[in-house]
Amino acid sequence: MRKSHLVITLVILAALLLVPTMLKNYGIYLFSYWLIFVIATMGLNLTVGYAGQKSLGHAAFFGIGAYTVAILMKAGISFWIGLPVAMLGCFAIGLGLGFPALRVQTIYLAFATLGFNTAVWLVMRNEEWLTGGTFGINDIKRPQLFGISLDDSLPYYYFVLAVAIIMGGLLFGLLRSPWGKAFTALRDNPIRAESLGIHIQAYTLLSFAIGAVYAGVAGALFACLVQFIEPAPFAVGSSIMMYLMVVVGGPGYFFGPLLGAAVGVLLPEWLRFAQAWYLFIFGAAVVLLMLRLPDGLLSIPDRIKARRLSREASAARAAAARNLGAQS
Amino acid sequence: MTDFFQLLFSGVATGSIYALAALGFTLLWQASGTINFAQGEFVMLPAFMMLGFAAMGAPLPLAFVLTCFVAVLVLGWAFKRGIVDPLLKFGMMPIVVATIGLAIATRNGVRAGYSAEAHPFNGLFADKLFNIWGVTITLADVGTLVLALGLVLVTQAFLQKTVTGRAMQAVAQNTESATVLGINVPRMVFYTFAINALLACAAALLVTPTYLAKFDMGESLGNKAFFAAIIGGFNNSRGALLGGVIVGVAENLAAAYISPAYKDAVALVLFMLVILFKPQGLLGKKVERKV
C-alpha cells in the first residue's frame, strides 16, 4: 500500500467518523443507507471488478440476507444468530446458483443471474406465509451489541461503519492473498490462468459466493436500518443499479464502491430538485461515462498519470532525437 | 382439451412477438457483437411515436410508416454512430452498461417528460371472435401471428436469398474476409441496425394494443426477447423464432396449469435448463474459444 493510499484512507475514515455527528437524524440515516450499499457493492466489486464475472443478481442476495434476518428475528431469534445464518445462506445459495450459471460466461451469466433475481423476487412477493408478500415484514427490531442499544440512529450508524470497515479489511486482505491474485488472473486471461494451474470453476464459484455473502451482510443491516422490508428494493432494477454503482465508481478499484454507492444513493438526495428527471439524468450520465471513461470515475488519476508519462516519454524521445541530430 | 388449444394458440401469438424482438437481438449480436439491453425500450419508443403521430391526426398506417423512418434514423443510425461505434473497441461490457444506461434514461425520460400513465392504443384488428371446433380464437391473435411470422420469414428470406442479405451474413461470420471480398462492412452493419429498428417498430405495433403504451412496457419484453434468443440459439436467426414461440407457449400453459403468480419465472427455468444441457441453444452451433 502506497503512502498516498494510506493518507486517503485516513481522510475518508475521519470524515466517516465526524461528519454524521453534525447531521440531523435523516442525514445519519442516509449515511447508514449509503454505507450498507458500500458493503453490498464491495462484494459485487469482487465478483465483477476483480474476478470479472458479470453478475446482475446481487439484489437477490441482498434480499435473502434481509429476509433471513427479519424472519428469524420475528421468530424471536437474536440478530447475532440471524446474521451468520444469512451469511451462510447466501454463501450456499451463491454456490448453488453459480454451479449451473458459471458454466456460461459474460452476457449469459448476466442474464442467468438476472433471471435468478426475478425468481427470488417472485418468491418474496408470492409466498405470503413466509415473507408477508407485498405487505412485507414490519417492526424489525435493531440489535444490541454488548448490552448497548443500537436503537438510535447514531449508534446504529457507527455499528454499520464498524461492519463496513471489518468487511473492507477482510476484502483487502483477500485481494492481497494468492486467492485475490488468482481472481484477477482469471479476469484478465482465463485460459492462461487455467494453464498456470488455477482451477477456474472453483475460483469463479468462490468469487461469486463471497460476493453473495457481502450482499447478505448488507441485507441484514438494511433490514434493521429501515425496520420494514417488502419485495420492491430487491427487484431486478436494484441489481442493475448496484452493477452500475460498481461500474461508475470503477470496477477493480478498491475504493470504487465508496464513490459508486455515493452516486447511486447520496446524489439523488442532493438532486431532489430534479425529481422525476433524476433517473433520466443518471442514465444519460452512465452512457456518457462509458463513452468517455469506460473504466469508471476512479480511473481518472490513472489516466492523468498515463498521459503525463506518455508526454514525458515523447519529450525524452524528442530530446534524444535532437541530441542525435547535433552529433551527426 | 379445448382450453389447452386456446392457450396454445394465444401462446404462439404472444411468442411470435417475442420472436420479433429476439430476432433483432440476434441480428445485432451477429453483425456487430452488440448486446442491446435497451431492446425493450426500442419497442416502447415507437409505440409512443405512433401515438404522437396519431395525435397529430395521422391515420395508423401513415403513423406507422413515419415512425419507421424516425426509428431507422434514431434507433438505427444515431444509436450505432453515437453509442455502439465508439464503444465497440472496448469489448462487450461497456456497450452492455451503456445500453442499460440508455434504457434507464429513455424509460424515465418518457415518464418524466410525457406521462407515467398507460395509454390505450388502437389495434390493427377489429374485435372479432372465431370459433373453430369449439376453440375460440380472436382476430387479433390470428393477425398478430400471421404478421409476426410473416415478418420473421421475410427477414430470413432477405438474409438468405438477396445479395445484400448474404453480404450481411458474411460480415456476421467473418468481418475481415468480408472486407477482403469487397463488402462494405460499415454499411452492412448499419443495415442490421436499421432492420432491428424496423422489427422493433413492428413489434410495437403488434404488442401495444394488449400491453398498452407505458414507459416501462419494454422491461419484461426485452428480458423475454433475450431469453428467447438464447433458448433458440444465439448465433442462429431461426433460433429466435423457435425460442420466442417456446417461451410464449410455456408461459401461457404454466400460468393456466401451474401458477399464474410464477408466470414470469417460466422463461428463466427454460433458460437455465438450456444453458445447463445445451449452452449454445437449441439450434445454435458451438463456438470454439480462443486464447
Side-chain angles (χ1 to χ4, degrees):
Chain A
M1 196 157 157
R2 276 174 303 159
K3 215 174 209 169
S4 60
H5 280 182
L6 195 68
V7 172
I8 293 170
T9 316
L10 288 177
V11 169
I12 293 174
L13 259 183
L16 287 176
L17 280 172
L18 295 177
V19 170
T21 53
M22 296 176 260
L23 292 172
K24 292 200 192 95
N25 255 341
Y26 184 65
I28 300 170
Y29 172 85
L30 261 178
F31 262 67
S32 317
Y33 204 98
W34 168 54
L35 278 182
I36 285 170
F37 272 85
V38 170
I39 298 175
T41 44
M42 262 195 296
L44 191 61
N45 194 21
L46 174 73
T47 317
V48 173
Y50 288 100
Q53 305 300 314
K54 315 301 177 200
S55 162
L56 281 181
H58 213 56
F61 296 110
F62 189 58
I64 290 170
Y67 270 96
T68 310
V69 165
I71 291 167
L72 287 179
M73 283 174 86
K74 279 283 141 187
I77 297 166
S78 148
F79 174 82
W80 299 105
I81 296 171
L83 182 65
V85 170
M87 289 167 74
L88 276 177
C90 282
F91 190 77
I93 295 172
L95 286 183
L97 170 71
F99 200 70
L102 291 172
R103 281 168 51 102
V104 290
Q105 285 294 307
T106 57
I107 199 66
Y108 291 81
L109 178 64
F111 268 92
T113 46
L114 194 143
F116 166 73
N117 197 332
T118 311
V120 169
W121 180 79
L122 283 173
V123 170
M124 288 171 187
R125 199 192 59 184
N126 293 331
E127 301 303 319
E128 247 171 59
W129 58 275
L130 184 67
T131 63
T134 43
F135 302 110
I137 300 174
N138 50 18
D139 277 337
I140 303 163
K141 299 267 181 303
R142 287 190 181 163
Q144 285 196 332
L145 183 65
F146 307 126
I148 306 165
S149 159
L150 300 175
D151 280 344
D152 280 334
S153 45
L154 203 56
Y156 194 71
Y157 168 77
Y158 283 121
F159 170 61
V160 173
L161 179 61
V163 176
I165 291 171
I166 294 170
M167 298 305 277
L170 285 176
L171 186 66
F172 191 74
L174 177 73
L175 289 173
R176 280 163 57 100
S177 72
W179 281 15
K181 303 284 179 219
F183 287 149
T184 36
L186 197 84
R187 171 193 67 187
D188 293 338
N189 192 337
I191 296 177
R192 192 162 152 71
E194 193 175 25
S195 74
L196 291 173
I198 294 170
H199 193 299
I200 290 193
Q201 211 182 6
Y203 275 93
T204 42
L205 261 179
L206 211 60
S207 79
F208 195 70
I210 295 175
V213 170
Y214 273 75
V217 172
L221 294 173
F222 178 78
C224 295
L225 174 74
V226 296
Q227 300 185 300
F228 163 69
I229 54 171
E230 41 117 16
F234 313 115
V236 172
S238 328
S239 279
I240 290 179
M241 216 48 195
M242 287 187 198
Y243 188 89
L244 290 182
M245 286 180 202
V246 171
V247 172
V248 166
Y253 287 90
F254 189 76
F255 291 112
L258 218 55
L259 194 59
V263 172
V265 176
L266 296 182
L267 211 55
E269 287 301 319
W270 284 323
L271 293 178
R272 269 277 176 92
F273 61 90
Q275 295 258 339
W277 286 99
Y278 172 71
L279 277 172
F280 171 76
I281 297 167
F282 179 77
V286 167
V287 176
L288 276 180
L289 186 76
M290 279 298 108
L291 290 171
R292 295 274 157 230
L293 279 174
D295 292 325
L297 288 174
L298 282 185
S299 67
I300 294 174
D302 284 353
R303 282 219 160 186
I304 294 171
K305 207 164 78 190
R307 194 168 295 168
R308 203 188 60 217
L309 284 178
S310 77
R311 204 167 44 228
E312 277 168 9
S314 71
R317 265 199 307 277
R322 234 179 298 138
N323 283 345
L324 275 178
Q327 274 168 13
S328 61
Chain B
M1 207 58 201
T2 54
D3 278 356
F4 176 78
F5 281 114
Q6 219 153 303
L7 290 167
L8 189 72
F9 190 78
S10 66
V12 174
T14 321
S16 60
I17 298 175
Y18 294 160
L20 278 182
L23 183 61
F25 229 115
T26 47
L27 286 178
L28 279 197
W29 164 247
Q30 288 178 356
S32 66
T34 309
I35 305 270
N36 184 12
F37 254 77
Q39 188 77 357
E41 278 62 37
F42 275 35
V43 177
M44 181 268 288
L45 282 178
F48 276 97
M49 279 186 233
M50 275 186 265
L51 276 182
F53 284 124
M56 282 183 239
L60 188 61
L62 180 65
F64 178 68
V65 173
L66 289 174
T67 303
C68 284
F69 275 112
V70 180
V72 168
L73 204 65
V74 176
L75 305 179
W77 186 77
F79 173 58
K80 177 175 179 287
R81 291 303 288 272
I83 294 179
V84 176
D85 283 353
L87 281 175
L88 213 53
K89 56 177 180 289
F90 297 118
M92 187 199 281
M93 280 333 268
I95 294 188
V96 168
V97 174
T99 51
I100 290 177
L102 185 68
I104 294 177
T106 42
R107 210 181 294 153
N108 290 288
V110 167
R111 174 161 76 169
Y114 187 64
S115 153
E117 310 280 306
H119 294 266
F121 189 96
N122 285 331
L124 277 179
F125 311 103
D127 271 336
K128 204 174 162 193
L129 295 176
F130 295 110
N131 207 315
I132 305 168
W133 303 304
V135 182
T136 317
I137 293 171
T138 64
L139 178 65
D141 271 352
V142 181
T144 303
L145 180 63
V146 170
L147 267 183
L149 281 185
L151 271 173
V152 172
L153 294 177
V154 165
T155 313
Q156 292 286 355
F158 172 73
L159 287 176
Q160 273 154 13
K161 297 281 153 48
T162 65
V163 177
T164 319
R166 295 186 74 96
M168 285 167 67
Q169 282 197 318
V171 171
Q173 277 164 14
N174 191 331
T175 319
E176 275 149 32
S177 324
T179 318
V180 171
L181 289 172
I183 295 171
N184 187 344
V185 172
R187 173 171 294 175
M188 295 304 142
V189 174
F190 166 67
Y191 285 162
T192 320
F193 278 78
I195 290 179
N196 179 45
L198 289 177
L199 288 174
C201 288
L205 183 69
L206 295 175
V207 83
T208 325
T210 32
Y211 274 43
L212 304 181
K214 202 177 170 206
F215 68 95
D216 62 354
M217 66 183 268
E219 213 172 340
S220 66
L221 191 67
N223 279 343
K224 279 176 194 146
F226 189 87
F227 285 136
I230 290 197
I231 290 169
F234 212 29
N235 46 21
N236 184 319
S237 5
R238 246 166 306 163
L241 180 59
L242 180 71
V245 171
I246 289 178
V247 170
V249 170
E251 263 184 6
N252 241 5
L253 294 181
Y257 295 114
I258 302 172
S259 152
Y262 284 101
K263 183 183 166 207
D264 287 338
V266 174
L268 165 74
V269 172
L270 286 173
F271 167 77
M272 279 298 202
L273 287 176
V274 166
I275 62 170
L276 260 181
F277 295 108
K278 209 166 180 298
Q280 68 274 30
L282 294 177
L283 294 180
K285 284 185 275 310
K286 234 186 178 132
V287 184
E288 294 297 321
R289 52 182 199 168
K290 285 177 249 160
V291 179

